[in-house]
Amino acid sequence: MPRLDTLEMIEDTIRKGQYFESKTKLWKSLPRGVQYGTLGVALSYLERSNKIAQNRDGSIVWIFVEGKRARKSLEESTEL
């Protein structure tokens, strides 16, 4: 299980990068070493909490809406 500081580091890296082509590219861009299995557990948690999306092609995208203005815009938007 990842520690809180590890989870926050992974989350911050994805939030700043917004998009990674693969889990390996994300893993290599982390500021400090993390075991590959630990990264997988962290990504599963972030996906369950609706902060990221892992696409079929293996890419990882930050999808969490932050800020009051963004939340209001999302709530007022029309679903397609």
Side-chain angles (χ1 to χ4, degrees), residues 12-30:
D12 287 343
T13 302
I14 298 170
R15 183 182 318 123
K16 290 175 186 170
Q18 295 290 316
Y19 174 82
F20 291 89
E21 291 179 8
S22 67
K23 187 168 141 179
T24 304
K25 293 212 179 211
L26 168 61
W27 184 55
K28 290 180 178 181
S29 69
L30 294 172

Side-chain angles (χ1 to χ4, degrees), residues 27-42:
W27 184 55
K28 290 180 178 181
S29 69
L30 294 172
R32 63 180 163 81
V34 173
Q35 291 186 3
Y36 203 71
T38 302
L39 177 61
V41 172

